[in-house]
Amino acid sequence: MKQPYTPVSNYIDLNSESLDIGKIFMSQNFITEEITVETQKPFMEIRDDKKIFNVENNIITQGKTAIDVLKTLPLVTVDGQDNIMLRNDSRIKILINGKENRMYTNLRQVPADIIERVELITTPSAKYEAEGVTGIINIILKDTDDDGYTGRVSIGGSTLETYNTYGSFNYKKSKTTLY
C-alpha cells in the first residue's frame, strides 16, 4: 500500500528537562511514470534586428507555395503579378537560407511544406544599404533530403487567340542543383 506522505521519525529523550521536538514538515511522496513535456515555437519572434515567423506548423500554408506564405505575413504585400513589397517598399532582397535566390527563379516553385521560417529584416546592415535595399526577406528551408526532380509547367491563353507556355525543371543531387 502506497503511503501518501513520506514517513518522518525523530528520537526524543523523555528524561530531559525541556522537550523541544522542533518543526516537523510533511512532504508528499510522489511516484510518477515518465513525463514528457512538449512545446511549439511561437508563430512570431521579435529579435533586435528581425522578425521571425515560424510557419513550419501553420495549417494555413499546407499545400501552398512560398508566395502564399508571404501573403499571410504582416508587413509583406504581394500583388497580383507576384511583386513583393516589405512595408510598402519594393526595394527588397529575397534570400533563401541566407543566400541570393538563384535556385528558384520564381517563388511559386517553392512549396510551403519545405519552409521552416521566414525572417523579415526591416533595417538591413550597411552592407545592403549601399545597394539601395530597404528590407530583406530571408526564407529558411527545412533540412531535408530533397534529392530528385521538381518541375512546373504553366499554360495560358486569351480570347484574342494568343497562347503562351512556360516550364521549369530542377534537379538536385547532394549540394548540386541544376535548373
Side-chain angles (χ1 to χ4, degrees):
M1 178 172 134
K2 288 185 182 179
Q3 295 179 350
Y5 295 96
T6 304
V8 175
S9 64
N10 285 339
Y11 176 77
I12 301 172
D13 184 11
L14 298 176
N15 293 329
S16 67
E17 291 182 18
S18 66
L19 184 61
D20 182 12
I21 61 171
K23 294 182 180 179
I24 298 175
F25 295 98
M26 298 176 70
S27 61
Q28 287 187 334
N29 190 10
F30 286 109
I31 298 174
T32 64
E33 299 295 322
E34 180 179 332
I35 297 174
T36 304
V37 178
E38 295 181 5
T39 185
Q40 286 185 341
K41 293 179 184 176
F43 177 69
M44 184 173 93
E45 298 175 47
I46 298 176
R47 304 261 173 93
D48 291 337
D49 59 339
K50 59 187 160 188
K51 293 173 182 59
I52 300 172
F53 295 91
N54 297 302
V55 297
E56 180 176 22
N57 297 321
N58 191 347
I59 194 142
I60 296 172
T61 62
Q62 301 300 316
K64 308 271 179 156
T65 66
I67 287 289
D68 299 320
V69 170
L70 293 176
K71 287 179 181 178
T72 66
L73 301 180
L75 305 175
V76 178
T77 308
V78 182
D79 68 11
Q81 288 76 39
D82 294 344
N83 297 316
I84 302 166
M85 292 189 290
L86 181 60
R87 294 192 312 177
N88 292 323
D89 196 333
S90 61
R91 296 174 296 159
I92 61 171
K93 186 173 281 279
I94 298 177
L95 307 175
I96 294 185
N97 292 336
K99 299 176 185 164
E100 291 286 332
N101 183 8
R102 292 188 180 116
M103 181 175 163
Y104 299 103
T105 56
N106 182 348
L107 289 178
R108 288 215 176 267
Q109 296 173 335
V110 181
D113 298 339
I114 67 169
I115 299 174
E116 179 180 330
R117 66 183 184 272
V118 178
E119 300 174 349
L120 302 180
I121 304 169
T122 55
T123 54
S125 64
K127 169 181 154 183
Y128 294 106
E129 286 181 12
E131 298 176 13
V133 174
T134 60
I136 298 172
I137 299 175
N138 187 14
I139 300 172
I140 306 296
L141 304 180
K142 296 177 188 175
D143 289 332
T144 59
D145 184 22
D146 58 352
D147 290 350
Y149 304 95
T150 60
R152 176 185 168 119
V153 176
S154 297
I155 301 172
S158 73
T159 58
L160 301 174
E161 296 187 22
T162 58
Y163 305 99
N164 59 23
T165 59
Y166 166 79
S168 66
F169 177 76
N170 298 317
Y171 172 72
K172 182 172 190 264
K173 181 70 175 170
S174 186
K175 292 185 176 183
T176 305
T177 304
L178 299 172
Y179 56 95

